[in-house]
């Protein structure tokens, strides 16, 4: 299955996915392209170093729909069937979601539905929760909302800051995302209510 990855920054999840695919840990898959909306995204260099085609499509004053149409075209041109958001910092338009129905994944650094949106780890620290974690979910029209594919619980320690908690959650994000993609690519699942159930 051809995978397209969208990034805006560091690209550590993208790197984990690319390396997993290259090591054969996600059978029958290939990362066709990494697309960034930011020219400065560090992840672009990491993708190139690993031999993956990169593409920058800047926002440049385009509406969300115009910007997304360009991205959709590049993904379709490469026959991408599964889109993985990996630190992509822009909401997708309805057109984008409809172009890849139930075929867009995202990873979020909290146990959804808690702490949606930006700075989820900081939100967790401020709220005082004792556990947080990360969630892989299908993307729908609403922010951090689609059916849940996988979650991992990470303990919040007394002396955690947003930075230390983020680093600990990130270690688990990479493994969780790779495993979730492996299972989705495997294809033996159904969406039951708000949950992806693997058979
Ligand atoms: C990760 O924490 C991810 O959960 C969130 O954005 C961050 C991206 O980090 N959506 P990276 O670019 O994958 O290193």
């Amino acid at each position: 299955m051809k995978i397209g990855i969208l990034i805006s920054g560091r690209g550590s999840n993208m790197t984990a996915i690319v390396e997993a695919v290259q090591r054969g840990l996600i059978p029958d898959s290939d990362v066709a392209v990494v697309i960034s909306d930011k020219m400065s995204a560090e992840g672009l260099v990491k993708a190139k170093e690993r031999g993956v085609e990169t593409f920058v499509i800047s926002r440049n004053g385009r509406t969300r729909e115009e910007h997304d149409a360009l991205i959709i075209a590049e993904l379709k041109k490469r026959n991408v069937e599964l889109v993985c958001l990996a630190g992509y910092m822009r909401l997708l338009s309805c057109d984008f979601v409809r172009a890849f129905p139930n075929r867009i994944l995202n990873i979020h650094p909290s146990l959804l539905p808690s702490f949606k949106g930006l700075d989820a780890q900081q939100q967790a620290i401020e709220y005082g929760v004792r556990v947080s974690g990360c969630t892989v979910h299908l993307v729908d029209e609403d922010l951090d909302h689609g059916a849940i594919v996988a979650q991992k619980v990470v303990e919040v320690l007394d002396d955690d800051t947003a930075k230390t908690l983020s680093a600990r959650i990130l270690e688990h994000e990479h493994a969780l995302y790779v495993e979730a993609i492996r299972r989705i690519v495997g294809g033996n699942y159904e969406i039951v209510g708000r949950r992806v159930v693997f058979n």
Side-chain angles (χ1 to χ4, degrees), residues 62-135:
R62 297 181 176 105
T63 65
R64 191 182 305 287
E65 285 70 23
E66 289 164 352
H67 184 234
D68 281 2
L70 296 175
I71 299 176
I72 293 166
E74 293 302 329
L75 293 169
K76 295 278 184 193
K77 212 187 273 178
R78 292 166 180 79
N79 298 317
V80 165
E81 294 168 274
L82 179 68
V83 181
C84 297
L85 308 184
Y88 183 66
M89 300 303 285
R90 196 170 204 202
L91 269 177
L92 300 188
S93 62
C94 295
D95 292 349
F96 200 134
V97 174
R98 282 190 214 113
F100 295 93
N102 290 326
R103 282 284 167 193
I104 309 172
L105 291 172
N106 182 41
I107 186 152
H108 184 75
S110 75
L111 296 175
L112 290 173
S114 292
F115 311 129
K116 295 178 179 182
L118 291 175
D119 302 322
Q121 305 93 332
Q122 178 68 33
Q123 293 183 51
I125 296 277
E126 280 171 14
Y127 198 93
V129 290
R130 309 310 310 197
V131 293
S132 188
C134 42
T135 303

Side-chain angles (χ1 to χ4, degrees), residues 29 37 43 83 108 153 164 167:
S29 62
D37 63 332
V83 181
H108 184 75
V153 174
T164 58

